[in-house]
Amino acid sequence: MSEPYTYPRKGSIDDPLRIAVLISGSGSGLLSLLKHQQSNQCPHVTKLIISDNVNAGGLHHGGIFEISTAAIPLPRSSDKNQQRTLHENLIHEKLINSKIELIVLSGYMRILTSVFVKKWKGRIINIHPSLLPKYPGAHAHRDALADGAEITGCTVHLVDEGVDTGEIIAQEEVPILEGDTVEKLQERVKRIEHQLYPKVLDDFCS
Ligand code: GRF
């Protein structure tokens, strides 16, 4: 049986929810969130950036915005399950030590185990570059193009024990244009994601 969602407390401008953003890559979504938090009074504040990829470009945003960052790569282990557990334990410990109240996945390319999800369920939010339940997984744009879809988009959803299956909070459509490639489509969808995610977080946290 899957666990119910336990939502975070309400954040306020005086006492914003403490967010950790988990990334794996360029962190353009992270950057849009940090700019949003800098120029608006928000009920959330980013207190920690974690990447599983030590070379993630997005880690640099932490330095610029003076936010703690942690690169936590997969520890060495020949046992894959043990490796995932050890990795998530390190992340969990860091989140607890930093008093994090909400985990924001923003281009985090690892699937979280159900053990980890259960600890945070209702307090992990993700953005996915398709109109879920269409095109879950790591190749949403490729799959949408291969399917001949005319419309795709992005979805903000809570994370549950499945892959891109959690409760949907918000979606926005993006048209697929003639001559689109994965790269062109990704760019166009990201522009929408960068507006949608901060707005949804404002609502979700308050
Ligand atoms: C975004 O398209 C997001 O939806 C997906 O990964 C991408 C992250 O891009 N999960 P970036 O690292 O924020 O540039």
Side-chain angles (χ1 to χ4, degrees):
M1 220 188 69
S2 76
E3 301 280 321
Y5 293 108
T6 305
Y7 302 107
R9 71 175 171 93
K10 266 187 185 180
S12 66
I13 288 151
D14 295 333
D15 188 12
L17 271 190
R18 296 171 66 85
I19 286 181
V21 184
L22 270 57
I23 59 166
S24 297
S26 67
S28 66
L30 164 68
L31 181 60
S32 69
L33 176 63
L34 296 178
K35 285 183 177 166
H36 176 80
Q37 289 172 332
Q38 192 177 53
S39 48
N40 296 277
Q41 294 204 308
C42 293
H44 47 84
V45 60
T46 301
K47 286 289 180 188
L48 178 64
I49 298 163
I50 294 180
S51 175
D52 60 316
N53 170 11
V54 293
N55 298 314
L59 283 171
H60 297 298
H61 302 318
I64 294 164
F65 285 80
E66 295 179 353
I67 295 167
S68 299
T69 61
I72 307 183
L74 274 179
R76 279 176 199 273
S77 169
S78 53
D79 179 330
K80 292 280 166 214
N81 286 332
Q82 192 188 46
Q83 188 180 37
R84 284 181 87 187
T85 304
L86 288 172
H87 187 231
E88 289 182 349
N89 286 348
L90 292 171
I91 292 176
H92 180 74
E93 198 179 290
K94 186 80 192 163
L95 295 168
I96 296 295
N97 288 342
S98 304
K99 299 188 170 59
I100 295 305
E101 299 173 285
L102 178 68
I103 301 171
V104 172
L105 304 182
S106 187
Y108 185 67
M109 297 310 286
R110 296 193 56 78
I111 293 167
L112 297 165
T113 65
S114 58
V115 174
F116 182 88
V117 170
K118 279 192 180 88
K119 290 180 194 160
W120 291 92
K121 197 166 170 188
R123 296 177 296 143
I124 316 177
I125 199 165
N126 183 39
I127 189 157
H128 180 80
S130 76
L131 297 175
L132 290 171
K134 284 199 154 243
Y135 318 123
H139 302 288
H141 300 307
R142 185 197 69 187
D143 295 346
L145 290 171
D147 203 24
E150 291 179 1
I151 304 267
T152 186
C154 48
T155 303
V156 179
H157 66 97
L158 287 171
V159 173
D160 70 2
E161 292 83 352
V163 177
D164 301 324
T165 50
E167 186 179 303
I168 291 174
I169 302 175
Q171 294 187 304
E172 202 155 320
E173 291 184 354
V174 177
I176 297 183
L177 306 179
E178 216 168 302
D180 259 350
T181 58
V182 167
E183 292 71 28
K184 283 185 189 170
L185 185 55
Q186 183 180 50
E187 248 342 279
R188 190 156 356 97
V189 173
K190 274 192 188 183
R191 281 206 291 275
I192 302 301
E193 289 185 7
H194 295 170
Q195 296 161 20
L196 181 67
Y197 213 3
K199 259 191 280 170
V200 171
L201 286 169
D202 287 351
D203 292 344
F204 184 76
C205 294
S206 58

